[in-house]
């Protein structure tokens, strides 16, 4: 069977719709569903306190950390398991040793996953948040951000791929600027992980937060946070649970785990971990990351070309894309969204500026993109 057909046969959600919203959540592959069901069946049959239950759970956690480390280009010791991207963003943002009057920098391309933890830190520690305007000039972000750095800046928090415009930010250059000024860099990798190659060491960032349910096609409930050893040593623990400690004493307190793993918390659902492990294996061993990244890139370029030819459509996403392609219509975006959904074509709207956004998954076909473009023809042009 042709590779794409084989991959699509493992994604049942594709048969009933044109699935162009992996940026919200990817379709669940059969091997992921099977691993989750198997885990739940074992829990029901053996009991959740079965002999070796915690030994196996710890092994599973180690396997999931190792898979994420391999995908991100770091050591397993530099990975903490989290619940999702936003969890990782919170753990770092609220863990900075803030003093009143300190400053953080972000951009006007960010998702609440980066913004809300900053707002919480401002509320709690009375910090100032500076917002870099890079909406129409993402490539200039290093210079724009550098102009906002002051001696009080402690953190730059921003996404690798903007959920609004789909722009890929020059993270390596931004990290170089930040480190010249002794500022930590936290990256929201929700729209990059599984969509484009990511190597945190080459990027030179301090922290990188990712999740499973989007481009990896994993379950909800498992994410990962990369943190270098030196950066992790500067962070305070916000949520302390048994996952945090190597050991503790009732009177002396806890001895945290080394590195970023001191940010891990407590009880987790093993079925989610089993699903996430299966998703990592499926992507790396069956689909192949190089194949997936190349295909996403090609499909996103095709989508840009097809959309640019539709009267009334303006493509917002710059030429350097990951898997997201954002476009505007001359008519009401919400009405267009609904009309597309009625034809079983699933995209989404994004705010500031109000636009529509498609996600080009590695499993999508060129025909599906043509279908979207054709469906937009009667919908996009204003009166
Ligand atoms: C850029 C970005 N950051 C964060 C999130 C939130 O991700 P999560 O649900 O994994 O916290 C999303 C999508 O929902 C996103 O697009």
């Amino acid at each position: 069977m042709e590779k794409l057909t084989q991959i699509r046969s493992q994604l049942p959600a594709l048969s009933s719709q044109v699935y162009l919203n992996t940026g919200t959540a990817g379709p669940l592959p059969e091997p992921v569903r099977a691993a989750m069901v198997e885990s739940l069946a074992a829990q029901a049959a053996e009991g959740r306190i079965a002999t070796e239950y915690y030994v196996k759970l710890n092994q599973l956690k180690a396997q999931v950390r190792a898979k994420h480390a391999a995908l991100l280009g770091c050591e397993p010791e530099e990975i903490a398991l989290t619940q999702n991207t936003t969890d990782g963003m919170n753990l770092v943002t609220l863990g900075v040793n803030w003093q009143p009057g300190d400053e953080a920098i972000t951009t006007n391309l960010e998702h609440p996953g980066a913004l809300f933890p900053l707002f919480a830190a401002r509320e709690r520690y009375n910090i100032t948040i500076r917002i870099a305007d890079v909406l129409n000039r993402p490539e200039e972000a290093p210079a724009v951000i550098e102009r906002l750095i002051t001696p009080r800046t402690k953190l730059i928090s921003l996404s690798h791929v903007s959920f609004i415009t789909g722009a890929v930010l020059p993270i390596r250059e931004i990290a170089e600027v930040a480190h010249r000024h002794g500022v930590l860099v936290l990256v929201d990798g929700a729209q990059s992980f599984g969509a484009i190659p990511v190597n945190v060491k080459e990027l030179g960032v301090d922290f990188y937060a990712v999740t499973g349910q989007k481009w990896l096609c994993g379950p909800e409930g498992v994410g990962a946070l990369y943190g270098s050893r030196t950066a992790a040593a500067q962070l305070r623990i916000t949520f302390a649970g048994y996952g945090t400690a190597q050991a503790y004493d009732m009177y002396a307190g806890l001895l945290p785990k080394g590195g970023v793993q001191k940010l891990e918390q407590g009880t987790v659902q093993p079925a989610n971990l089993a699903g996430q492990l299966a998703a990592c294996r499926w992507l790396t061993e069956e689909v192949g990351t190089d194949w997936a990244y190349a295909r996403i890139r090609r499909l996103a370029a095709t989508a840009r070309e097809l959309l640019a030819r539709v009267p009334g459509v303006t493509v917002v996403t710059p030429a350097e894309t990951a898997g997201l392609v954002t476009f505007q219509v001359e008519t009401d975006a919400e009405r267009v969204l609904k009309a597309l959904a009625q034809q079983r074509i699933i995209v989404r709207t994004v705010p500031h500026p109000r636009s529509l956004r498609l996600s080009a998954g590695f499993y999508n076909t060129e025909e599906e993109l043509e279908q979207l473009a054709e469906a937009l023809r009667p919908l996009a042009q204003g009166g």
Side-chain angles (χ1 to χ4, degrees), residues 22-24 85 111 159-164 188-196 208-209 211 214-215 322-324 348 357 359:
T22 286
T24 295
T85 321
H111 188 272
S159 46
H160 197 165
V161 175
S162 166
F163 92 108
I164 303 175
D188 169 345
Q191 298 298 350
S192 50
F193 185 60
I196 58 172
Y208 200 101
T211 194
K214 297 180 186 288
W215 296 89
L324 301 178
R348 65 160 286 181
R357 187 191 80 186
S359 306

Side-chain angles (χ1 to χ4, degrees), residues 193-261:
F193 185 60
I196 58 172
V198 175
N199 184 307
V200 290
K201 299 289 178 185
E202 282 172 14
L203 292 172
V205 297
D206 300 293
F207 300 102
Y208 200 101
V210 302
T211 194
Q213 81 274 13
K214 297 180 186 288
W215 296 89
L216 205 71
C217 300
E220 286 95 347
V222 184
L225 174 67
Y226 159 77
S228 75
R229 278 203 161 263
T230 44
Q234 299 174 48
L235 281 196
R236 293 169 147 191
I237 297 168
T238 301
F239 300 102
Y242 67 78
T244 312
Q246 291 182 40
Y248 78 99
D249 176 88
M250 174 102 51
Y251 298 97
L254 68 86
L255 176 65
K257 283 184 188 163
V260 72
Q261 282 173 21

Side-chain angles (χ1 to χ4, degrees), residues 105-110 131-149 156 158-160 167-175 177-178 180:
I105 298 174
T106 186
T107 81
N108 57 349
L109 292 175
E110 303 309 322
I131 299 183
D133 177 4
V134 294
L135 184 63
N136 297 315
R137 45 177 182 165
E139 68 289 349
E140 291 175 33
V144 177
I145 287 172
E146 186 159 28
R147 287 198 286 276
L148 297 181
I149 295 177
I156 297 173
L158 80 179
S159 46
H160 197 165
V168 183
L169 277 117
I171 295 295
R172 192 194 335 194
E173 292 75 10
I174 292 169
V177 165
R180 272 209 303 276

